[in-house]
Amino acid sequence: MELIMMDAIKRASARRITAVIPCFGYARQDKKDKSRVPITAKLVANLIETSGVDRVMCLDLHASQIQGFFDVPMDNLIAEGLMVKFVREEILKPKGLDHTGIVVVSPDAGGVKRAKAVADRLHCDLAIIHKERKRANEVESMTLVGDVNGRIAILVDDMADTCGTMALAADTLAKKGATEVYALASHGVLSGNAVKRIQDSPIKEMAVTNSIEFSAQVKGCSKIKMMDIAPMLAEAIKRTHDGESISSLFA
């Protein structure tokens, strides 16, 4: 439907079209990891470009190289600032803690860069969980690299889908001595039994952005909190319209 609307707007002689896509669909299919599979992220990028857009704006792409799939300007906004704000206002301040009382944890090797960026802004330690998968969305084992004993562990990821990884990571952290476990994610897909897994896990609270609309089940879960991306998107749109820098928004 949105592609049809963009074509209609283009044919109505719009001077410029900017597609704001909070959660880029099929972002996890960004490469050919085995034979006879599609690179759907590239296909979606082609479809969006063909519809006539002049600029694309997304939030926390699963893989930043997806920006290269577009031949038009592409802004990858990051939710790092929202996560840092949540930790400071909802965890550190109420508990009267400083940065030494928390550890930011990446639930897999692929998310280390994202977790390190959050840890650097919070001036706290970083830990990594190495996971081995049986198949997609199913984790076989987890190994913690780092020390969380006696401190609050904060899991940071870009996407919370089935939450199997998050739940297992929380179990691992609890067994390694973490006093509390929190989880932060840019996109709350929360499919299947995700909400039940969060409810049954040691995770005290999970905060996700509203890049995907919350279902009734998600809204009814007391553990899941929302980080609002509307002000950030509004400022990014304004800066694009006025020809100002987008990157300085996250400096």
Side-chain angles (χ1 to χ4, degrees):
M1 178 59 74
E2 287 79 4
L3 294 175
I4 296 172
M5 288 174 62
M6 284 189 283
D7 183 70
I9 293 168
K10 179 183 178 182
R11 294 176 190 278
S13 302
R15 185 178 66 182
R16 183 176 63 192
I17 302 172
T18 301
V20 181
I21 309 170
C23 185
F24 186 82
Y26 301 99
R28 285 181 286 184
Q29 289 184 272
D30 62 332
K31 59 183 176 293
K32 190 172 181 179
D33 55 353
K34 55 185 177 181
S35 60
R36 293 182 291 279
V37 295
I39 305 178
T40 317
K42 173 60 176 171
L43 173 61
V44 172
N46 288 344
L47 290 170
I48 292 170
E49 271 196 58
T50 303
S51 69
V53 300
D54 299 291
R55 193 182 194 100
V56 178
M57 194 178 293
C58 293
L59 174 71
D60 263 347
L61 290 169
H62 183 68
S64 57
Q65 62 263 29
I66 291 174
Q67 294 173 85
F69 291 175
F70 292 88
D71 291 324
V72 296
M74 204 283 186
D75 299 308
N76 182 29
L77 309 181
I78 54 177
E80 174 190 311
L82 295 175
M83 293 179 179
V84 170
K85 182 181 178 182
F86 180 87
V87 173
R88 286 174 176 162
E89 295 183 359
E90 303 296 330
I91 301 175
L92 294 180
K93 189 176 180 180
K95 297 179 184 296
L97 298 173
D98 61 15
H99 61 90
T100 60
I102 59 174
V103 182
V104 171
V105 184
S106 173
D108 56 38
V112 172
K113 185 178 179 180
R114 182 181 298 102
K116 187 179 185 305
V118 174
D120 286 347
R121 290 186 61 172
L122 289 169
H123 306 291
C124 67
D125 290 340
L126 174 70
I128 304 165
I129 290 179
H130 171 68
K131 66 182 180 183
E132 294 183 6
R133 289 187 182 274
K134 286 183 180 179
R135 56 186 68 87
N137 290 334
E138 188 174 343
V139 179
E140 183 175 13
S141 64
M142 287 192 160
T143 304
L144 176 67
V145 180
D147 181 26
V148 298
N149 187 42
R151 291 188 285 180
I152 295 174
I154 302 169
L155 287 161
V156 174
D157 207 353
D158 70 315
M159 193 170 291
D161 188 355
T162 62
C163 289
T165 297
M166 284 286 194
L168 283 172
D171 284 334
T172 301
L173 294 170
K175 290 175 183 176
K176 294 294 183 179
T179 55
E180 290 179 342
V181 180
Y182 289 81
L184 308 175
S186 303
H187 306 290
V189 180
L190 302 172
S191 61
N193 295 322
V195 174
K196 185 177 185 303
R197 287 194 179 101
I198 294 301
Q199 287 279 34
D200 297 340
S201 75
I203 294 174
K204 185 171 183 179
E205 278 187 358
M206 169 182 273
V208 297
T209 74
N210 53 347
S211 64
I212 299 174
E213 186 178 1
F214 282 15
S215 66
Q217 186 184 21
V218 173
K219 289 178 181 177
C221 179
S222 60
K223 282 190 175 184
I224 300 176
K225 309 298 180 183
M226 183 188 75
M227 297 182 290
D228 189 16
I229 61 171
M232 180 176 65
L233 286 180
E235 180 62 24
I237 291 168
K238 179 180 180 298
R239 291 188 181 206
T240 298
H241 180 73
D242 294 340
E244 298 176 2
S245 170
I246 294 289
S247 58
S248 62
L249 183 61
F250 309 103

